[in-house]
Amino acid sequence: MDIVARHRNVKLWFSGHFHLSHNYPDSISTVGSAAFVQVGVIGECNRDGTRQSRLLCGTEAGYQLFTVDHDTGASRLDMEARWDDASAPVPVIPEDELLCDPDAGWLCSEMDCKVGDNSTGFITWHPVGLQTILARQANDLLIEYDMATAAPLGLVTKVPESCSLQLLAADGSPAAREDGSDVAEIRIYEANGELRETVTRNSSGAFFRIYQPNKWRLKQQKKAEEAVAVAAAEAAAQQSGSAMGSYAE
């Protein structure tokens, strides 16, 4: 978000691939004159039975963004805009093709619900600080969302309907701050009061689980470790050579 705010020439930001189609209201979102576009999957492994990808057609004047359906071969215009237009581009996905059932995927979740309100029967919100918020959804999932972008960060855990959730401060007492900034851990209890699971904040200060480490960071870490090993070997060889020279003298 900061990069886009600083560089007004950024018009499109693609993220993917996701194992979901583009038929969700939040598959394209806009901030300023930039559009954040999610990209589906071509392969058979998908979560809603639809194989879609994006096609971008551009000219000197502007661009058109299409969805390509890999089952039917059809294409659909989702958005178009001029490069010099400073206003927010408007997606034109047909409403009859949108999947709006919140239980069909978290991309349909409503971010304007009141915290703690579950009047829709699908979502209860729990604040856990100024940066993120937790959503307990009807499909037993506890999802963490970024407050600035309203984007899902990841899965925290599964919370069955029969279980209860408690947010605790560092001293073990119930979290008291309205914004949830004092929440240090989440406890999930079974219906009989037995503790089912405890979730603490991860290395980034959030609660979502990191199931697969970032591959780029792992690669950089491996390179750094290899560089340290090479440097240590060279230092040892140099020290050994100096010792041999002193012995010869």
Side-chain angles (χ1 to χ4, degrees):
M1 297 300 295
D2 292 337
I3 293 175
V4 173
R6 293 197 308 269
H7 302 280
R8 299 295 182 179
N9 58 322
V10 177
K11 298 295 183 181
L12 292 162
W13 187 304
F14 293 90
S15 300
H17 62 270
F18 289 84
H19 292 263
L20 285 168
S21 70
H22 306 158
N23 298 340
Y24 293 86
D26 294 341
S27 67
I28 299 177
S29 56
T30 58
V31 177
S33 61
F36 292 81
V37 182
Q38 294 183 336
V39 182
V41 63
I42 298 175
E44 297 293 339
C45 181
N46 56 72
R47 292 167 52 194
D48 56 13
T50 305
R51 301 164 53 232
Q52 294 179 338
S53 61
R54 303 284 188 184
L55 173 64
L56 178 64
C57 299
T59 65
E60 291 183 0
Y63 66 85
Q64 289 183 314
L65 180 65
F66 295 87
T67 280
V68 177
D69 190 312
H70 293 279
D71 288 317
T72 65
S75 62
R76 179 189 72 203
L77 179 65
D78 286 346
M79 188 173 62
E80 59 182 331
R82 293 181 57 85
W83 299 120
D84 59 0
D85 190 348
S87 61
V90 180
V92 293
I93 305 172
E95 289 191 10
D96 61 344
E97 295 190 27
L98 290 176
L99 302 176
C100 296
D101 178 6
D103 205 25
W106 36 255
L107 290 179
C108 282
S109 298
E110 296 292 335
M111 284 300 291
D112 57 355
C113 295
K114 295 179 180 178
V115 171
D117 175 33
N118 192 24
S119 59
T120 63
F122 290 111
I123 304 169
T124 303
W125 299 98
H126 300 278
V128 287
L130 297 177
Q131 303 297 323
T132 66
I133 191 169
L134 303 180
R136 182 178 177 181
Q137 303 186 178
N139 54 6
D140 295 346
L141 297 181
L142 186 64
I143 305 293
E144 188 165 19
Y145 285 83
D146 177 70
M147 293 292 289
T149 62
L153 295 173
L155 172 68
V156 178
T157 188
K158 295 197 71 173
V159 185
E161 186 177 357
S162 60
C163 293
S164 61
L165 182 151
Q166 188 175 19
L167 305 179
L168 300 177
D171 61 0
S173 64
R177 294 179 186 173
E178 186 176 354
D179 64 1
S181 57
D182 59 338
V183 177
E185 68 178 31
I186 304 166
R187 291 183 184 176
I188 313 299
Y189 290 93
E190 300 283 1
N192 61 5
E194 181 181 349
L195 180 63
R196 173 188 175 94
E197 184 179 6
T198 299
V199 181
T200 58
R201 293 186 182 271
N202 59 33
S203 58
S204 66
F207 285 100
F208 67 90
R209 300 294 182 88
I210 302 174
Y211 290 95
Q212 184 178 29
N214 185 290
K215 294 179 181 179
W216 182 83
R217 290 183 180 176
L218 286 178
K219 186 177 181 180
Q220 295 300 109
Q221 181 181 347
K222 184 178 179 180
K223 290 173 98 174
E225 291 173 351
E226 291 174 349
V228 170
V230 169
E234 290 176 348
Q238 186 176 7
Q239 185 176 7
S240 176
S242 299
M244 290 295 292
S246 299
Y247 178 77
E249 292 176 0

